[in-house]
Amino acid sequence: MVNPIDAPGTDEEEWRAWDGLEALPPLNSYRWNSVVVIAAHPDDEVLGVGGLMALLADRGARLRLIAVTDGEASHPDPGIAERRVAESATALKHIGAVETVRLGLPDSAVRDEDLLRLLPELVDGFDACLAPWDKDAHPDHEAVGRVAAACDTEVWHFPIWTWHWARPADLRVPWDRAVQVPLPSPVSERKQAAIDCFTSQFEDPDPILPPGVLAHFTRGREVLFDARP
């Protein structure tokens, strides 16, 4: 069975032409004074919620990034993990003040039991937790999303690969519990600058994030799903 991530994807123009995204209710993040973001791989945090993180940083909210893996499985280069960690650190400088906790779990082999042992304590005390969607079609994203949803705080999922394999109004996507985060132009520009830092993922002859995939993260809004409707 072909993973939908590996199949031809949906063009960003289809998403931009669909009025369903613009019609989503806005997320009220003003009630949050502290937020923890969980990324399965370096770049997930920026692609999924980089704009929201910038908005929260501008308001003075405490931000913690939990980096589950160092992304070492994306390329056979033995130095790729170090490079990806450095890219993430540089990208976050465009976002704002973020404290980072690196778990160093194996890329593409993240297990629920390891996350259950580590995440609850790191998430405890934060007003909200943002994590990849647990139906995103990448096993690491899904493991992180499942365990995050079990943590004792308000949890929101953000899609990453969903924009590639899903279609507008796709019945596999929980639009009924989705919200949007409109991004002012200056924030969109900061997010784009942060995305541009992940050169290891799009400069390769066979990139992990080709232009058609990156285009999904340059629109003027981000989308999240309530993890516990």
Side-chain angles (χ1 to χ4, degrees):
M1 183 175 180
V2 176
N3 188 303
I5 291 175
D6 298 322
T10 301
D11 193 281
E12 174 60 13
E13 290 306 312
E14 288 191 47
W15 288 111
R16 298 196 184 210
W18 182 46
D19 59 7
L21 295 182
E22 189 175 359
L24 293 174
L27 171 71
N28 177 14
S29 62
Y30 286 89
R31 64 190 187 282
W32 297 338
N33 294 314
S34 60
V35 175
V36 59
V37 180
I38 309 177
H41 314 98
D43 72 15
D44 289 339
E45 71 280 7
V46 170
L47 296 175
V49 287
L52 175 56
M53 291 175 70
L55 290 169
L56 291 165
D58 289 349
R59 295 176 199 151
R62 178 190 178 192
L63 290 174
R64 169 180 287 175
L65 169 65
I66 301 175
V68 174
T69 80
D70 293 338
E72 69 276 6
S74 72
H75 294 79
D77 178 358
I80 190 62
E82 183 178 356
R83 180 177 176 185
R84 295 194 69 184
V85 168
E87 288 173 347
S88 179
T90 302
L92 291 176
K93 292 178 182 178
H94 295 283
I95 299 301
V98 182
E99 60 181 85
T100 301
V101 178
R102 311 207 72 85
L103 301 185
L105 296 183
D107 186 7
S108 297
V110 174
R111 303 187 306 170
D112 289 43
E113 52 264 44
D114 292 330
L115 294 170
L116 284 165
R117 176 172 51 86
L118 297 168
L119 289 184
E121 183 178 357
L122 293 169
V123 171
D124 185 49
F126 283 81
D127 294 334
C129 173
L130 314 178
W133 185 34
D134 61 357
K135 301 292 189 297
D136 201 45
H138 190 295
D140 288 353
H141 292 195
E142 295 187 356
V144 171
R146 283 192 299 268
V147 175
C151 290
D152 189 20
T153 190
E154 182 178 347
V155 180
W156 291 84
H157 285 147
F158 53 85
I160 299 289
W161 285 106
T162 304
W163 302 117
H164 175 75
W165 57 256
R167 302 292 295 272
D170 198 312
L171 295 179
R172 296 170 292 178
V173 179
W175 303 114
D176 59 326
R177 50 189 175 92
V179 296
Q180 64 164 312
V181 180
L183 304 180
S185 293
V187 171
S188 291
E189 291 169 4
R190 285 162 62 189
K191 179 176 180 177
Q192 182 63 66
I195 290 174
D196 290 344
C197 295
F198 296 104
T199 56
S200 68
Q201 302 303 288
F202 57 77
E203 287 188 344
D204 191 271
D206 185 22
I208 303 297
L209 299 174
V213 172
L214 283 175
H216 299 314
F217 306 103
T218 62
R219 66 175 81 115
R221 60 177 48 83
E222 294 170 342
V223 174
L224 296 94
F225 308 135
D226 190 340
R228 283 177 262 178

